[in-house]
Amino acid sequence: NAGVTQTPKFQVLKTGQSMTLQCAQDMNHNSMYWYRQDPGMGLRLIYYSASEGTTDKGEVPNGYNVSRLNKREFSLRLESAAPSQTSVYFCASIVGGKYGYTFGSGTRLTVV
Amino acid sequence: AQRVTQPEKLLSVFKGAPVELKCNYSYSGSPELFWYVQYSRQRLQLLLRHISRESIKGFTADLNKGETSFHLKKPFAQEEDSAMYYCALSSGGSNYKLTFGKGTLLTVNP
């Protein structure tokens, strides 16, 4: 049972390059989320998808776009990477509040 | 706006000592509160939620609405408790968005 799978695990980008972070869950969860984790800042919500076909901005959406491709997959795209986007990115999903989030293992992104 | 405050970035205790990780929140409605834990090189995982009033790995947390707090406690810390702990608040509804605190790194010394 894979849970939430994120790819890649590590990535180095040059400023201005683009990339897509992939996230897939096999638990038939409705809601999916992208957070970034920065030292001293905790986790901040970038975008979320409450259900298939919907996406909404979170606390720090600037510089990112998302796609809820189907119920399983929720991707995060950086169109023109900036050093301020150096972070660890976590994808999460949830079936209901009672059970809490299931997190992926994270993607460590460095923008130089 | 909702906010979660974890006043201690770092907390260091000795094995067998009691530990309390503080969490205060700001929210005008009826909150749902959680503690998440991240062990070294592992993914974040749910530790406990206030609604279940359970004890997980010896940890408990009580919601105090008067003090707007949800402190995490354990009477006797173990070395394997060393981890980053995050308090999180959900405003409810159907989107289950969580607002996280900045985290407390707990180190339990032998």
Side-chain angles (χ1 to χ4, degrees):
Chain A
N1 210 0
V4 178
T5 302
Q6 289 184 237
T7 56
K9 291 193 186 305
F10 301 94
Q11 183 71 48
V12 178
L13 288 179
K14 293 182 179 179
T15 298
Q17 286 185 317
S18 62
M19 80 161 294
T20 300
L21 282 65
Q22 307 287 354
C23 175
Q25 51 91 8
D26 61 1
M27 299 169 288
N28 203 35
H29 287 176
N30 291 321
S31 304
M32 298 183 73
Y33 308 82
W34 277 105
Y35 283 85
R36 59 178 290 172
Q37 182 186 42
D38 301 290
M41 299 296 292
L43 282 86
R44 292 178 291 170
L45 182 63
I46 305 170
Y47 270 93
Y48 68 100
S49 171
S51 60
E52 186 179 357
T54 69
T55 60
D56 284 289
K57 295 179 181 179
E59 181 185 355
V60 288
N62 291 344
Y64 305 95
N65 283 302
V66 290
S67 296
R68 183 75 183 266
L69 305 169
N70 47 55
K71 192 169 187 179
R72 289 187 64 248
E73 298 172 286
F74 187 40
S75 62
L76 177 72
R77 182 161 178 83
L78 287 71
E79 291 292 351
S80 179
S84 61
Q85 294 178 304
T86 293
S87 186
V88 181
Y89 292 86
F90 286 99
C91 178
S93 69
I94 193 170
V95 64
K98 174 181 179 179
Y99 303 102
Y101 283 7
T102 298
F103 280 90
S105 58
T107 295
R108 187 174 294 275
L109 175 67
T110 302
V111 182
V112 297
Chain B
Q2 56 197 61
R3 183 183 300 169
V4 176
T5 303
Q6 293 179 251
E8 304 135 330
K9 287 186 179 179
L10 303 170
L11 184 61
S12 182
V13 301
F14 285 103
K15 177 182 173 181
V19 62
E20 180 180 50
L21 290 85
K22 291 185 168 51
C23 172
N24 290 90
Y25 67 90
S26 173
Y27 181 60
S28 56
S30 184
E32 293 183 23
L33 284 146
F34 305 81
W35 277 98
Y36 283 80
V37 60
Q38 186 177 30
Y39 301 103
S40 179
R41 288 186 287 277
Q42 294 188 27
R43 63 187 69 193
L44 278 145
Q45 55 188 281
L46 177 66
L47 181 60
L48 52 80
R49 58 193 296 257
H50 87 270
I51 259 185
S52 8
R53 301 185 64 80
E54 57 199 339
S55 173
I56 303 292
K57 299 184 178 182
F59 284 98
T60 59
D62 290 318
L63 177 61
N64 185 323
K65 290 188 177 181
E67 295 182 359
T68 59
S69 68
F70 187 56
H71 302 328
L72 183 68
K73 300 177 184 179
K74 185 169 183 177
F76 307 104
Q78 303 299 315
E79 289 180 69
E80 55 264 31
D81 296 328
S82 296
M84 179 69 84
Y85 291 81
Y86 291 99
C87 183
L89 165 70
S90 172
S91 53
S94 59
N95 58 41
Y96 303 118
K97 289 191 298 180
L98 287 181
T99 298
F100 285 85
K102 295 183 178 180
T104 297
L105 180 62
L106 173 66
T107 302
V108 181
N109 300 297

